[in-house]
Amino acid sequence: MQILLRGAEVDGATVDVTIRHGRIVARPSAAPDEVIDAGGGALIGGLHDHHLHLLAMAAADHSLDLATATDPASFDEALAIRPGTLAGGGWLRAVGYDDQVHGPLDRRRLDHLAPDRPVRVQHRSGALWVLNSRALTELGVDADRPGHPGFPGRPDRPGPPGLPHPEADDLADGRLFRSDEWLRDRLPPPPPPDLAAVGRRLASYGITGVTDATPTADPAHHRLLADAVRSGALPQQVIVMGGPPLAEADPPPPLTKGPVKVVIADHALPPLADLEQWFRRAHRAGRPVAVHCVTRVALALAVAAWDEVGSLPGDRVEHASVTSPDLAIRLHEHGLTVATQPAFVAARGDRYLATVDPVDRPDLYRCATLLAAGAPVLGSSDAPYGPEDPWIAIRAAVERRTGSGVPIGPGEALRPDQALALYAPPPAAPAGLVLLDAPLAEVLADPRKERVVRTFCAPPT
């Protein structure tokens, strides 16, 4: 299908453009099937979200969203009166729990709110699940008998910025840190993921490509994504990571193989030797690594591993939530890229001001310092754990303000064109095209998802 755009702004000039399969056609071979009056709106390359979790996004669509609860009372009300179920097997899956807003949560509080059905509640960071007693029983766990075989051990370190540190035994409180695989092996089968809804939303923002950063060890995860791309449910180009167990595996077409995801668990830092082994395994397979680092200690440990193993082109740091200037220089020395989430400054900044050590606050989600040090920066959402709309992140990268308007790291602010460039696609990925409702300079002065008129995704390669 050929589409003629009349009067589109392309690289500052107003021209007529013909598009086919998400690409500009230099010499149209036939009359256009559709004509669109662009009205001077900019035609730009499609945006790429460099770190999100597609299946988790689909699951969140079928979960009780607690982020709309504004205090402990409304949190309790949402869980206590919710009719029916939102997950398979009679389970209730809830997301968006925020300890700073909703108060402390353990299995006893959940038992009081929902004693007659299994409930699991996810912290907004994605790193913590809290289960009620009914849920633990259905998983074959005796919450009153510590040391149950196979149950994840209790963390002894704080997690990401703002994540509550456990004050009691995990098992007794029903708290599971970084235990998604353990849970997935024991839960009833979930409903089929509605990736079409996810794909439509992403396209509405102008996103034509994504990198799924899930550190899965299960090839079925990638098969679901491949099926969705082949069917057109996901019109975006999809790059996938997977964890070290899939380092040697090729994802099913039409997915594109990305880096190997290595998670430095904040509650239980791995030995340096283990980290080096994971890096070497990925590099032997000809793949870079993408290393989850949300604390200063985790980032320093990752750099120490690169010191021993060396880096491969494409090696990158995910999040880099707390990056001191000296570590930024070390990242450049190793030729590393950073995939970060500017929107967290806006979405979580007020919580960070209340919970993050003042020493770490200037180092939160740096952008300008990394670029000045020579470390390339990629923009991403971490959806569903952060706002999936990239225009929120673009604005946040420029303004560097919390939701209440307080500046965080104003020296890290980017120019609007730099913020947009964070979402450029990888060189080898088809970019697609996005038509905006005004010239680019006008859109960047007021970046909003509503500025997207139409998205043209390129077929996956």
Side-chain angles (χ1 to χ4, degrees):
M1 180 177 181
Q2 290 194 154
I3 300 172
L4 173 63
L5 301 183
R6 293 196 180 278
E9 181 197 61
V10 179
D11 295 330
T14 302
V15 296
D16 295 343
V17 177
T18 298
I19 296 173
R20 183 170 61 233
H21 302 310
R23 298 179 176 90
I24 294 176
V25 179
R27 293 184 175 84
S29 58
D33 299 289
E34 182 181 358
V35 178
I36 298 174
D37 181 3
L43 183 67
I44 64 172
L47 308 184
H48 191 100
D49 188 321
H50 293 273
H51 179 123
L52 49 59
H53 305 274
L54 289 166
L55 292 184
M57 292 172 71
D61 287 346
H62 295 278
S63 302
L64 173 61
D65 185 3
L66 298 169
T68 57
T70 57
D71 52 33
S74 57
F75 174 94
D76 290 354
E77 182 180 14
L79 277 173
I81 68 172
R82 181 74 191 186
T85 61
L86 291 171
W91 283 67
L92 175 64
R93 183 185 193 272
V95 298
Y97 160 62
D98 185 334
D99 54 295
Q100 297 296 311
V101 176
H102 305 137
L105 185 64
D106 60 17
R107 70 178 173 100
R108 296 170 186 82
R109 182 177 172 192
L110 288 179
D111 288 347
H112 175 72
L113 298 172
D116 299 324
R117 56 183 170 174
V119 176
R120 58 184 175 120
V121 177
Q122 188 179 47
H123 188 267
R124 59 172 175 76
S125 68
L128 166 70
W129 286 97
V130 185
L131 282 67
N132 67 352
S133 296
R134 178 72 176 271
L136 291 170
T137 298
E138 294 214 5
L139 294 176
V141 173
D142 183 352
D144 296 313
R145 183 164 60 90
H148 185 278
F151 194 86
R154 178 186 178 216
D156 57 2
R157 298 180 185 271
L163 182 65
H165 187 278
E167 297 178 353
D169 186 270
D170 264 358
L171 194 55
D173 285 347
R175 297 158 68 92
L176 284 75
F177 282 78
R178 300 288 180 198
S179 302
D180 285 4
E181 296 287 348
W182 186 90
L183 268 174
R184 193 174 298 116
D185 290 343
R186 291 160 176 79
L187 288 167
D194 183 9
L195 288 166
V198 173
R200 286 192 297 271
R201 287 202 311 275
L202 292 173
S204 75
Y205 308 136
I207 293 176
T208 60
V210 300
T211 297
D212 186 276
T214 308
T216 183
D218 185 358
H221 182 109
H222 291 165
R223 288 196 294 269
L224 285 171
L225 298 182
D227 290 345
V229 175
R230 280 194 294 266
S231 71
L234 281 175
Q236 289 79 19
Q237 172 85 7
V238 177
I239 300 171
V240 293
M241 291 188 182
L246 296 183
E248 296 83 12
D250 289 329
L255 303 182
T256 300
K257 182 167 56 177
V260 174
K261 180 71 173 289
V262 174
V263 176
I264 298 183
D266 316 288
H267 61 278
L269 295 173
L272 179 60
D274 288 354
L275 201 56
E276 294 171 9
Q277 179 182 356
W278 297 334
F279 283 24
R280 288 192 174 98
R281 178 174 180 178
H283 288 177
R284 283 196 301 268
R287 296 178 63 183
V289 290
V291 187
H292 168 104
C293 297
V294 297
T295 63
R296 188 188 305 273
V297 173
L299 184 55
L301 181 61
V303 169
W306 270 302
D307 286 342
E308 294 298 321
V309 174
S311 60
L312 196 70
D315 278 1
R316 48 190 261 188
V317 176
E318 307 303 298
H319 309 298
S321 307
V322 182
T323 307
S324 58
D326 61 312
L327 282 174
I329 294 172
R330 299 296 308 284
L331 298 181
H332 165 64
E333 291 172 348
H334 280 296
L336 305 174
T337 296
V338 173
T340 192
Q341 294 81 38
F344 282 175
V345 172
R348 302 182 182 177
D350 289 310
R351 299 187 189 102
Y352 293 157
L353 292 176
T355 61
V356 173
D357 189 323
V359 174
D360 286 339
R361 289 175 195 164
D363 297 335
L364 287 169
Y365 294 98
R366 289 188 182 272
C367 288
T369 293
L370 289 165
L371 291 173
V377 180
L378 305 176
S380 63
S381 65
D382 197 26
Y385 312 114
E388 62 188 24
D389 177 356
W391 300 97
I392 294 175
I394 290 168
R395 181 184 291 273
V398 173
E399 297 180 349
R400 295 291 300 192
R401 292 185 178 274
T402 72
S404 66
V406 179
I408 287 188
E412 297 302 316
L414 302 180
R415 300 190 312 269
D417 61 307
Q418 290 177 309
L420 178 64
L422 300 180
Y423 291 87
L433 297 164
V434 179
L435 178 63
L436 305 176
D437 69 349
L440 184 57
E442 182 179 331
V443 171
L444 291 180
D446 180 26
R448 293 177 285 113
K449 65 181 180 181
E450 290 80 12
R451 311 310 297 260
V452 175
V453 174
R454 188 153 170 184
T455 301
F456 307 93
C457 291
T461 54

